[in-house]
Amino acid sequence: MGHVGKGVIAGFVATLELSAIMLMKGWTGMMPQLDVIGMLSGMLDVGRAAGWIVHFIVGTVFYGIAYALLERALPGGPTVSGMVLGIIGWLVMMIALMPMAGLESFGMDLGIGVPIMTLILHLIFGAVLGWVGGALTAGIEEVHSDRLRLVQHNARVHR
């Protein structure tokens, strides 16, 4: 499996982590005005189940592939580059998706806590995305390194 496949796996793991936090937030009643799944469902005029599916597609496929393709171009190591990608996603959400959902930019009509909470969630998501992606990519590079050593060893043996 290549870098894109590893990025998709990292995106899935990060989306699972984010989803768990979102569910805990909902169960505790914290910031009920911030309902990302409800926002997605409303924007797409679909039920909550479809909103969750879209949430997982965005986090797994879009973020996973973006991380795999951009990780080396973003600043810092894997975790930091994942967080940078999270900030980029947060800005897209705040500037484009919030108005598409009928809210003010940065969700300010829902209160100052919304942009702060969503930034924290995107940073956590990005950190997990980068950490898992970096660990999986290190595994790929280790396998390639082992293969190279094996080829070099076989070349010496067959001389």
Side-chain angles (χ1 to χ4, degrees):
M1 183 180 311
H3 286 289
V4 171
K6 301 295 183 181
V8 169
I9 291 170
F12 181 73
V13 171
T15 303
L16 279 176
E17 165 274 327
L18 176 63
S19 299
I21 293 172
M22 289 168 50
L23 288 170
M24 286 188 292
K25 182 190 86 53
W27 292 331
T28 63
M30 180 187 291
M31 294 188 71
Q33 72 274 28
L34 178 59
D35 178 10
V36 175
I37 302 304
M39 187 175 82
L40 281 172
S41 300
M43 283 173 48
L44 301 171
D45 195 27
V46 297
R48 287 189 69 82
W52 277 104
I53 291 169
V54 170
H55 163 71
F56 267 88
I57 289 170
V58 169
T60 301
V61 178
F62 295 134
Y63 271 98
I65 291 173
Y67 177 78
L69 298 176
L70 298 174
E71 185 265 328
R72 294 174 192 242
L74 295 171
T79 302
V80 172
S81 63
M83 292 171 77
V84 169
L85 191 58
I87 291 170
I88 293 168
W90 173 76
L91 285 170
V92 169
M93 180 182 181
M94 294 294 105
I95 295 169
L97 296 181
M98 287 289 189
M100 286 173 60
L103 301 168
E104 291 180 10
S105 291
F106 291 86
M108 291 305 292
D109 46 342
L110 300 178
I112 188 68
V114 169
I116 294 168
M117 174 68 85
T118 54
L119 176 60
I120 291 168
L121 292 173
H122 277 83
L123 287 170
I124 294 169
F125 172 86
V128 172
L129 176 70
W131 183 78
V132 173
L136 292 172
T137 301
I140 290 173
E141 291 167 2
E142 201 172 292
V143 167
H144 289 308
S145 206
D146 288 345
R147 286 182 186 161
L148 179 60
R149 281 193 292 276
L150 182 61
V151 168
Q152 290 170 341
H153 172 74
N154 287 339
R156 283 193 303 271
V157 169
H158 295 293
R159 280 189 208 174

